[in-house]
Amino acid sequence: MKLTSLTKILLWLLPNLFFFADTAYSRQGQSKNKPNIVIIYTDDLGFGDISANGATKISTPNIDRIAAEGLRFTNAHATSATCTPSRFSLLTGKYAWRKSGTGIAPGDAALIIPTDKESMPGMLKRAGYKTAAIGKWHLGLGPKGGPDWNGDIKPGPLEIGFDYTFIMPATADRVPCVYLENHRIVDLDPADPILVSYQNKVGKEPTGKENPELLTMNTSDGHNGTIINGVSRIGWMTGGNKARWIDQEMVNVFTNRATNFIEENKDKPFFLYFATHEIHVPRIPNSRFLGKSGMGVRGDAILELDWSVGEVLKILDKLKIADNTILIFTSDNGPVIDDGYADKAAELLNGHTPSSMMRGGKYSAFDAGTRVPFIVKWPAKVKGGKISDALFSQVDLYSSIAALTKQKINDDNAPDSFNCLNTLLGGKKNRDYVIEQSLKSTLGIIIGDWKYIEPSDGPRMNIGTNTELGNNPKPQLYNLKYDIGEKNNLAETYPKKVRALSQKLQQVKEA
Ligand code: NG6
Ligand code: CA
């Protein structure tokens, strides 16, 4: 059959039209398979801490805007009820409980993420992304034995695939209280070197233990090492005076770095891992937010976080790249009210419920430990204003993002991460179970409506934080559909269910 000239022209035009469309996209640093990726990873923010999830005593308009323009999950989980293991799992696609030494890291821990495997930033770098980690790190730095704080601090985030980093090494309640830009402490005067110890006091500076009268905030539990900026921290440090952060300024410092990174890379596909300090302790908000929530500093820190999120949204809008940027907003673990500083968070709570209807909180095997806020906004692909009750685990972000960017993952990497891109973008459910890890690694599993927590001899309460840990020497089984507060242990009534869930958990453990 002979083709008419018109058909020939049409046949030529069709594929080339797609080509032209794609290059137009790429010129904006974006293509269908390479949207910009921003993960806003908040710290200790509870499911019920944002008005998008039903909070009425606090208003989070910027976070709510992500929900209004995106997809809000009600059953998405961090892998763990504490920070270091959740971050480890998110970036490596591997359950932290498979690897020893992945619990809450001291501030002088060596890098926990292996450099001989490809973690999420490495995979995205391979995909042609410009990658950055800004904010809290808390995954260790340096070789075995810890980092050389006065020299090149490596290996660290740069060695696992981040092109640029501006981080705090661990948490704001742990020394050293300094920022790191790439391999170096920012503004470190070589004439005033830094010394850090988690074993014993170093230097002559006052500590919370010896000089509580110097504190602006008493410690209710622990945190009685070196006093920095009126607040005593975990661990001891001396030196590095010029390099020390000012807590009240931290939100500005990190947010500026994050928005600058976006601006500088607007023409390339970029991946920004923006791990906020908010709302972890010590809660020392900027004066713009101090006293503004009517709920004490914990509420003020939520407002501060919301502002910071708003700045990210604003710059994406201003640069006209919001449409093809996939923005994921979530938290590393559930909420805690008193986490070791007498900051009146409990007294001033004013009826606010950070755990929403869930039981427990940070550290806990109950659901509030890991069921966290999780919202995805990608205007080009994801319908706004929708809610998903699908199970989702942060461990799946690695494989889902690899699928999105069309990257292969070899067998050595991301062993626990499933491609759940469909779920992530509001399509069909990909995952039928989720594993949760509590403070001392009691594991739980959710399959459908059912949740099983393995027996544990661990303490029932975390005394300092007044959190129910969910440990019980007997197996626990809850039906989350009817009992989201995990009040009625049905293990004795449904032994077959217990067997089915515990066997699945065992199978995953042995995989
Ligand atoms: C605990 C700290 C707590 C917090 C937590 C880590 C005490 C008494 N408590 O050991 O304040 O720092 O570790 O939080 O020291 S996380 O979100 O980084 O996991
Ligand atoms: Ca945390």
Side-chain angles (χ1 to χ4, degrees):
M1 191 181 67
K2 264 187 133 194
L3 293 174
T4 65
S5 315
L6 186 65
T7 330
K8 274 187 198 160
I9 291 171
L10 273 175
L11 278 177
W12 178 86
L13 211 59
L14 223 66
N16 284 293
L17 263 180
F18 285 113
F19 171 79
F20 289 137
D22 211 37
T23 27
Y25 242 137
S26 314
R27 241 179 265 126
Q28 297 167 38
Q30 311 163 6
S31 78
K32 282 175 293 178
N33 300 331
K34 303 251 164 72
N36 305 310
I37 301 166
V38 177
I39 298 180
I40 302 183
Y41 210 45
T42 68
D43 201 355
D44 299 359
L45 188 74
F47 186 90
D49 274 324
I50 55 176
S51 35
N53 282 346
T56 54
K57 307 269 177 180
I58 190 129
S59 172
T60 50
N62 290 303
I63 299 166
D64 294 7
R65 192 190 137 198
I66 305 178
E69 295 174 16
L71 176 66
R72 180 171 69 84
F73 286 76
T74 57
N75 204 0
H77 293 256
T79 57
S80 314
T82 57
C83 162
T84 303
S86 284
R87 286 161 207 255
F88 176 89
S89 305
L90 173 89
L91 292 175
T92 64
K94 178 176 176 162
Y95 291 126
W97 43 263
R98 293 200 194 281
K99 187 176 155 72
S100 64
T102 54
I104 299 173
D108 62 350
L111 178 67
I112 290 166
I113 296 182
T115 51
D116 58 351
K117 300 256 185 326
E118 192 175 64
S119 53
M120 195 200 288
M123 179 269 292
L124 285 170
K125 191 168 166 157
R126 169 160 59 86
Y129 278 74
K130 188 87 180 164
T131 58
I134 291 170
K136 172 173 173 174
W137 182 239
H138 208 193
L139 286 162
L141 291 162
K144 208 165 165 223
D148 166 13
W149 296 109
N150 298 295
D152 266 347
I153 298 167
K154 62 181 184 189
L158 294 187
E159 284 64 37
I160 65 155
F162 285 110
D163 293 311
Y164 173 75
T165 65
F166 192 98
I167 56 173
M168 79 161 103
T171 60
D173 60 351
R174 283 168 173 73
V175 298
C177 300
V178 294
Y179 299 116
L180 248 70
E181 187 171 29
N182 297 326
H183 287 143
R184 288 279 173 164
I185 289 181
V186 177
D187 287 336
L188 181 65
D189 177 358
D192 182 26
I194 264 186
L195 190 60
V196 172
S197 172
Y198 275 76
Q199 271 73 51
N200 46 274
K201 182 178 169 177
V202 290
K204 297 209 163 54
E205 293 179 54
T207 64
K209 189 170 178 191
E210 296 155 327
N211 294 92
E213 75 284 358
L214 298 178
L215 298 174
T216 53
M217 197 192 309
N218 279 324
T219 63
S220 53
D221 185 17
H223 298 110
N224 56 12
T226 306
I227 301 177
I228 310 283
N229 198 13
V231 177
S232 53
R233 321 273 167 160
I234 306 175
W236 297 269
M237 71 177 282
T238 186
N241 279 282
K242 232 178 78 204
R244 296 179 184 191
W245 69 51
I246 297 165
D247 299 80
Q248 290 85 342
E249 287 300 321
M250 190 175 279
V251 71
N252 297 335
V253 172
F254 284 147
T255 308
N256 284 342
R257 295 284 164 167
T259 53
N260 285 349
F261 172 79
I262 293 174
E263 189 140 31
E264 279 161 19
N265 293 286
K266 65 180 193 313
D267 296 324
K268 319 179 176 83
F270 61 80
F271 166 50
L272 170 62
Y273 169 75
F274 181 28
T276 71
H277 154 58
E278 293 78 22
I279 59 169
H280 198 278
V281 294
R283 303 166 184 129
I284 311 174
N286 187 275
S287 58
R288 299 200 302 283
F289 309 101
L290 191 64
K292 295 286 157 56
S293 68
M295 204 193 279
V297 286
R298 188 175 182 281
D300 300 343
I302 296 176
L303 298 184
E304 182 168 272
L305 167 70
D306 189 68
W307 170 82
S308 174
V309 168
E311 293 304 293
V312 173
L313 295 176
K314 238 193 253 170
I315 191 80
L316 294 172
D317 287 342
K318 189 183 126 198
L319 300 171
K320 300 198 176 8
I321 55 174
D323 201 45
N324 205 28
T325 296
I326 176 164
L327 187 148
I328 297 165
F329 175 88
T330 187
S331 178
D332 66 339
N333 52 251
V336 57
I337 298 163
D338 178 345
D339 206 12
Y341 287 101
D343 62 6
K344 295 213 168 61
E347 294 89 320
L348 298 173
L349 205 55
N350 188 26
H352 173 62
T353 49
S355 295
S356 189
M357 278 130 48
M358 273 86 74
R359 189 168 177 181
K362 179 177 181 177
Y363 307 115
S364 179
F366 289 130
D367 240 38
T370 61
R371 196 192 291 217
V372 287
F374 192 95
I375 321 175
V376 178
K377 169 169 123 61
W378 183 13
K381 281 280 167 68
V382 175
K383 276 214 180 88
K386 297 265 186 245
I387 299 171
S388 171
D389 64 358
L391 270 178
F392 191 87
S393 170
Q394 289 173 3
V395 78
D396 294 330
L397 282 173
Y398 187 135
S399 287
S400 306
I401 290 175
L404 171 69
T405 52
K406 305 250 181 298
Q407 299 308 302
K408 284 221 168 65
I409 304 174
N410 75 26
D411 291 347
D412 260 11
N413 296 318
D416 297 306
S417 187
F418 295 171
N419 171 6
C420 295
L421 188 59
N422 266 314
T423 311
L424 191 67
L425 303 183
K428 72 171 175 31
K429 300 183 185 183
N430 294 113
R431 209 185 226 288
D432 58 2
Y433 73 90
V434 147
I435 309 252
E436 307 177 2
Q437 175 192 14
S438 75
L439 172 64
K440 295 284 181 210
S441 293
T442 302
L443 298 186
I445 182 166
I446 300 179
I447 305 183
D449 295 334
W450 293 91
K451 166 148 169 200
Y452 164 78
I453 304 175
E454 65 181 0
S456 162
D457 291 327
R460 300 242 175 160
M461 290 296 290
N462 203 25
I463 304 291
T465 61
N466 196 25
T467 316
E468 290 186 292
L469 287 173
N471 294 319
N472 191 321
K474 289 187 176 162
Q476 296 174 77
L477 179 78
Y478 299 101
N479 186 313
L480 297 176
K481 185 167 177 191
Y482 300 107
D483 179 24
I484 196 171
E486 292 166 280
K487 291 288 184 209
N488 303 313
N489 183 359
L490 299 173
E492 282 177 12
T493 322
Y494 298 105
K496 272 199 198 140
K497 271 270 163 233
V498 169
R499 221 170 302 130
L501 272 81
S502 67
Q503 273 170 5
K504 179 69 191 179
L505 178 60
Q506 200 52 33
Q507 193 191 323
V508 178
K509 275 191 192 182
E510 284 163 13

